[in-house]
Amino acid sequence: MILDQTVLVLIGLLMAAWTIAAGWAILAARARQKRAEASQRNARRLARMVDESPAIPLLVRADGRIEAPQRLSHWLGLDTVPQYLTELSSPHGSGGLTPETLAELTEAVRRTQKTAAPFRLVVTPRGSKRSLALRGHLADPQVSPGGAALVWVFDFSDSESELVKMRAEAARARGDFSALVSLIEAAPIPMWFRGPDGRLRLVNSTYVAAVGGASADAVVDAGTELVEAVDGLSAAQVALQAAQKNLPIERMVTATIGGQRRALRVSDLPLGEEGVAGYAVDIEDLEEMARAFRAFREAQRSMLDQLSAGVAQFDAKRQLTFANQPFIRIFGLKPSVMLNPPAFERLLDMARDEARVPEARDFPAWRREKAGWFSASTPQEEAWPLADGTHLRIVAQPMPDGGLVLVAEDRTEQLRLSAVRDTLLRTRTATFDSLFESVAVFAPDGKMQLWNRRFAADWGLDSEFLDMHPHIEDLLRRIAVRLKRPPQARAVGDVVRAATLDRKQTGGRVNLADGRTLEFAGVPRPDGNGLLTVLDVTDSEKAAGALRERNAALVEADAVKTRFLASMSYEFRTPLTSIGGFAELLQAGLGGELSAQGQEYVGAILSSVARLGEQIETVLDLSQSEAGMLPLASEEIEVMPFVTHLVEEREARIREAGIALDLRGDKGAGRITGDARRLSRAIGHLLDNAIAATPKGGRILVELTRQRVKGADRARIVISDNGPGMDSQALARALGGLKKSADGKTVERRQGLGLPLARQLVEAHGGTFELLSEPGQGTAAIVELP
């Protein structure tokens, strides 16, 4: 019993101990359960925090396995997170990292696993605009023992956009600042910037050039001021005053720039706490222009006083500011009116008192109407007839500043002249219509302006057509159908264009279909127009044709005469030679002894034979020369001995005539090449004419000189006398071999042909012959030979 009790006690104790142990186990299990649930909640919270965090962890173990949330696959553009790091690059080419980026990441992870060195990378998955930042370091052993690397992946796409935007804005700001600095540097005016203390901190190149500095830094370091102190205040002090008042200050000062005193407008602009900016504008040219404008205005007003038209100026308040003397005179104003200038309305009242405005039924209303000129948009023009018969032309010109310029012109005399002009125009028209010639006036644009009735009649044109003032082209089309050759109408147009546009005088001639011949000419007029004159020359043309036929007949008769004279000269020479020969035989006594009277007869025969032979030679030479067949010998001739010999041959005649001959010259007269026999005849004839024309007691001068004309030497022989001389008509007849008859009523052939022959012979040698004579002054024959 005792044993059973003991066993029961032991069993109870065991049961109690088991119960206590079970209770403790239950309590411990519940505590562990609570801790596990708390750990799970913490794990879920941490996982949620990781999922919600802006970074995703990527664990890379030593064997290359990776662990990461599924969200990383979406960032990388993959379907799932691969098991190994090398699988982050998609083999299909879409999503994942590029092979190059993956290789760089793999190398960085290995280096971190080996050296525990952290790394940073920026990657962009293929086909995505997402920007990912990778920051890797060695993982804590509690996270993953064995040298794993933990890489945090950040998505900073939005931050990158903001950064790009900020960078763009910063670049734009830098560009704007550079442009502003460049603009200030390139500004043509001096510009500067001062700090809060008033010291220069920045100046542009124009400022440096103005102060003559070496560089901007040197000018800033030296504190060189552009403007000197004015009234004890320096430029820096004025800038500080602007900064204190926070108001810009503008002043007019003078400064020395480039060795010249220039007027400047200087402005100081406060820029808050940053400092004060300033610039200077050179207004010296503006001041000069202002002075020039004032001088111009004074000169203009002085000039307006010289005009015949009256000119007055009113300001925007309608107050008279200027009136020239003609204006004061036209409106009957007092000379002292400008001492107290009246208003516009008052001026009209004063003019009305002097009866210098038109009569108006309602003068106040009329005056208000004229006051509207100030607000008009266009110039106003009116004609004012005055009571005394004066006619005024009034022009009111509104000015942009609200003022008015009033011009008054007295047109009384002009209207009178216009009436006179109308009378003159009517007179001109009547004169044009009475002209024998056709007359038309064309403007430079080709329009016909004036014409007479004869013009319409000559060309067969209708008055209605001409009244439309046709163009020259239309006129030519009407004229062409009346011409024998219609294309010749263009010649009329060319003459009109030459007269109006080229300002040249030209002419022409056309034949009409009816047989008439019209001659036309274009004459430029001083007013720029062209005058076309047309003359019917049909009758004149017929007369000219008849004259040409007669002239041809005369030319042919003259040629026949020349040939006849040449033939007769040869025919006369043979019997004349026989007569001379037999006369010489008789004179020699071969026919028997002659009495004194016989000897005289024979001498007369020989003298006549010689004279007749000379005449025949003259006629022969003259006829051959006129026909262009005169044979010339070529030999060198000393001018001085040659002429001396000719004078000596006539010594007896000179002495018998009772005249004196003076021969001047020397060997400097030179030599000539020609036919000595024919030249001796030419010069001899001139000497004979001079001897015959010189009265007793007269004097003949023969002068030989050498001259250089146009680079060639010429021998000059002048034979002059102091005889009675000849007028121009007698001189012309002498050169033609003619002279007046004894009764002075007719013209007859001279006994000799010396002058015409002398001219022909001289010209045949390439020389010139000139005969000068004045009644009562004598005659001079001038021969020049090459």
Side-chain angles (χ1 to χ4, degrees):
M1 281 294 290
I2 296 172
L3 181 58
D4 293 336
Q5 293 177 349
T6 303
V7 171
L8 290 172
V9 170
L10 290 172
I11 293 172
L13 291 174
L14 288 172
M15 290 296 292
W18 183 84
T19 302
I20 293 171
W24 180 84
I26 292 172
L27 293 175
R30 288 182 176 179
R32 286 194 298 271
Q33 183 179 3
K34 290 180 178 181
R35 288 196 298 270
E37 290 177 353
S39 297
Q40 289 178 354
R41 286 196 299 274
N42 289 334
R44 286 195 300 272
R45 186 171 64 253
L46 292 175
R48 186 63 179 172
M49 291 175 64
V50 169
D51 290 338
E52 295 295 332
S53 67
I56 299 177
L58 172 64
L59 184 65
V60 183
R61 299 184 183 277
D63 58 357
R65 290 178 177 273
I66 59 176
E67 296 180 15
Q70 186 65 27
R71 189 155 57 106
L72 180 62
S73 63
H74 299 302
W75 284 12
L76 295 178
L78 301 174
D79 296 334
T80 59
V81 177
Q83 294 183 354
Y84 292 93
L85 180 64
T86 56
E87 296 176 354
L88 288 179
S89 176
S90 174
H92 304 293
S94 62
L97 302 179
T98 62
E100 295 79 6
T101 304
L102 180 59
E104 185 179 1
L105 175 61
T106 302
E107 180 63 25
V109 168
R110 289 178 180 176
R111 187 167 55 251
T112 299
Q113 290 174 343
K114 291 180 180 180
T115 63
F119 67 89
R120 292 188 179 190
L121 290 177
V122 176
V123 299
T124 299
R126 284 185 296 190
S128 173
K129 296 182 180 179
R130 190 185 299 273
S131 298
L132 303 179
L134 307 181
R135 297 182 180 179
H137 57 85
L138 191 63
D140 190 274
Q142 295 181 358
V143 175
S144 177
L150 181 62
V151 180
W152 290 95
V153 183
F154 297 88
D155 185 356
F156 69 102
S157 300
D158 295 338
S159 300
E160 180 69 15
S161 299
E162 291 294 330
L163 183 60
V164 170
K165 183 178 180 181
M166 292 176 64
R167 287 175 179 172
E169 291 178 352
R172 190 181 307 110
R174 285 193 298 270
D176 294 342
F177 179 76
S178 299
L180 180 60
V181 171
S182 300
L183 177 63
I184 294 174
E185 181 65 20
I189 61 174
M191 302 182 72
W192 61 89
F193 175 73
R194 300 178 186 274
D197 57 353
R199 295 177 59 85
L200 289 173
R201 292 176 55 183
L202 177 66
V203 295
N204 66 350
S205 58
T206 307
Y207 187 103
V208 175
V211 300
S215 64
D217 294 337
V219 171
V220 171
D221 294 341
T224 306
E225 296 289 351
L226 176 66
V227 180
E228 302 91 343
V230 179
D231 297 333
L233 293 177
S234 64
Q237 292 173 332
V238 175
L240 291 176
Q241 288 181 357
Q244 292 172 359
K245 298 177 181 179
N246 197 26
L247 292 174
I249 295 178
E250 185 176 291
R251 56 194 177 126
M252 307 289 292
V253 298
T254 57
T256 302
I257 299 178
Q260 297 180 351
R261 296 294 290 178
R262 310 286 294 182
L264 303 178
R265 185 172 65 244
V266 179
S267 299
D268 290 295
L269 308 175
L271 302 179
E273 297 180 356
E274 298 298 327
V276 180
Y279 64 89
V281 179
D282 189 340
I283 60 172
E284 181 66 26
D285 294 337
L286 295 178
E287 289 294 317
E288 182 63 28
M289 290 177 61
R291 290 191 292 269
F293 173 75
R294 288 192 293 269
F296 171 76
R297 183 178 60 186
E298 294 300 326
Q300 184 185 46
R301 291 184 173 180
S302 298
M303 180 190 67
L304 292 177
D305 282 335
Q306 307 301 320
L307 298 179
S308 60
V311 180
Q313 296 177 348
F314 297 86
D315 59 16
K317 298 179 180 179
R318 302 184 181 181
Q319 198 77 17
L320 180 65
T321 58
F322 170 76
N324 66 351
Q325 293 301 319
F327 188 91
I328 296 175
R329 183 179 62 257
I330 289 174
F331 287 97
L333 304 177
K334 295 181 180 180
S336 59
V337 67
M338 293 307 300
L339 298 178
N340 185 18
F344 179 74
E345 293 80 357
R346 174 57 183 158
L347 179 67
L348 294 181
D349 292 337
M350 298 168 63
R352 186 192 182 197
D353 295 340
E354 299 294 332
R356 307 308 294 172
V357 295
E359 294 292 338
R361 179 177 299 177
D362 188 354
F363 181 75
W366 181 86
R367 183 178 55 191
R368 287 192 298 272
E369 178 186 351
K370 305 312 171 192
W373 287 345
F374 283 86
S375 56
S377 58
T378 58
Q380 306 294 315
E381 181 174 343
E382 293 183 0
W384 287 6
L386 305 185
D388 60 356
T390 303
H391 292 269
L392 298 181
R393 173 176 173 264
I394 304 297
V395 178
Q397 174 65 57
M399 303 304 292
D401 60 355
L404 182 73
V405 174
L406 193 63
V407 180
E409 181 183 2
D410 189 345
R411 303 190 65 185
T412 307
E413 184 66 17
Q414 185 175 355
L415 293 176
R416 187 187 67 80
L417 292 176
S418 178
V420 174
R421 175 180 175 273
D422 293 339
T423 302
L424 291 176
L425 288 177
R426 289 192 294 269
T427 304
R428 182 189 66 181
T429 302
T431 304
F432 272 18
D433 289 339
S434 63
L435 290 177
F436 180 73
E437 294 178 322
S438 300
V439 177
V441 178
F442 292 86
D445 60 355
K447 286 278 189 177
M448 178 183 283
Q449 303 295 320
L450 298 172
W451 64 93
N452 62 353
R453 285 181 293 186
R454 181 80 183 197
F455 186 86
D458 284 346
W459 295 108
L461 301 174
D462 300 331
S463 299
E464 293 79 5
F465 172 71
L466 296 178
D467 289 339
M468 295 187 297
H469 298 275
H471 193 270
I472 182 63
E473 297 298 334
D474 300 329
L475 182 65
L476 294 180
R477 283 191 287 271
R478 291 291 187 97
I479 291 176
V481 298
R482 291 172 172 80
L483 298 181
K484 186 176 182 180
R485 297 173 58 193
Q488 285 186 334
R490 302 304 307 173
V492 180
D494 294 340
V495 167
V496 173
R497 278 186 287 271
T500 55
L501 302 180
D502 301 336
R503 314 301 296 162
K504 294 181 179 179
Q505 180 172 342
T506 56
R509 178 176 293 188
V510 293
N511 296 320
L512 300 184
D514 58 6
R516 289 183 297 144
T517 301
L518 299 182
E519 190 175 75
F520 56 89
V523 181
R525 288 169 49 87
D527 57 0
N529 295 331
L531 176 66
L532 177 64
T533 61
V534 183
L535 183 63
D536 189 342
V537 295
T538 305
D539 296 336
S540 301
E541 187 70 16
K542 293 179 180 178
L547 290 175
R548 284 193 294 270
E549 292 177 0
R550 292 189 61 186
N551 182 64
L554 291 174
V555 170
E556 179 62 25
D558 187 66
V560 171
K561 178 205 69 174
T562 301
R563 290 193 297 271
F564 172 75
L565 291 176
S567 176
M568 291 305 296
S569 297
Y570 282 109
E571 294 296 332
F572 285 156
R573 184 177 296 175
T574 300
L576 189 61
T577 303
S578 298
I579 293 172
F582 286 121
E584 290 177 355
L585 292 175
L586 290 175
Q587 188 180 36
L590 295 180
E593 188 71 23
L594 296 178
S595 63
Q597 189 174 8
Q599 288 287 347
E600 183 180 352
Y601 290 158
V602 172
I605 292 173
L606 291 174
S607 177
S608 297
V609 167
R611 189 162 54 251
L612 184 57
E614 181 71 19
Q615 292 294 330
I616 291 174
E617 289 293 333
T618 299
V619 171
L620 181 61
D621 287 347
L622 186 59
S623 61
Q624 288 180 333
S625 177
E626 289 176 350
M629 299 182 297
L630 180 64
L632 296 175
S634 180
E635 54 184 305
E636 285 193 357
I637 304 170
E638 288 282 352
V639 176
M640 186 62 186
F642 174 71
V643 176
T644 301
H645 176 69
L646 294 177
V647 172
E648 290 175 348
E649 286 181 347
R650 290 158 177 81
E651 183 177 357
R653 289 184 56 196
I654 294 172
R655 193 165 36 251
E656 290 175 1
I659 59 178
L661 188 145
D662 186 7
L663 176 61
R664 297 180 183 178
D666 53 26
K667 294 184 178 180
R671 296 182 178 183
I672 59 176
T673 300
D675 191 327
R677 183 174 66 86
R678 288 190 166 87
L679 284 178
S680 64
R681 295 184 62 198
I683 305 301
H685 280 308
L686 297 179
L687 288 171
D688 292 341
N689 286 339
I691 294 171
T694 304
K696 188 175 182 179
R699 183 170 176 270
I700 298 175
L701 174 63
V702 180
E703 185 176 9
L704 310 178
T705 57
R706 179 179 180 180
Q707 293 185 345
R708 190 170 186 83
V709 180
K710 296 182 180 179
D713 290 334
R714 299 176 75 87
R716 194 168 192 261
I717 305 172
V718 179
I719 302 173
S720 59
D721 61 68
N722 59 353
M726 296 176 286
D727 57 16
S728 58
Q729 295 179 354
L731 187 64
R733 289 193 296 269
L735 289 174
L738 303 174
K739 70 174 182 177
K740 281 188 177 182
S741 61
D743 57 6
K745 296 181 180 181
T746 60
V747 177
E748 61 184 19
R749 174 68 65 179
R750 283 180 176 268
Q751 293 181 355
L753 299 175
L755 290 179
L757 179 62
R759 181 176 61 181
Q760 292 285 351
L761 293 176
V762 170
E763 292 177 353
H765 283 79
T768 60
F769 173 74
E770 185 177 8
L771 190 63
L772 305 177
S773 184
E774 288 289 340
Q777 301 296 324
T779 304
I782 303 173
V783 175
E784 289 187 0
L785 295 169

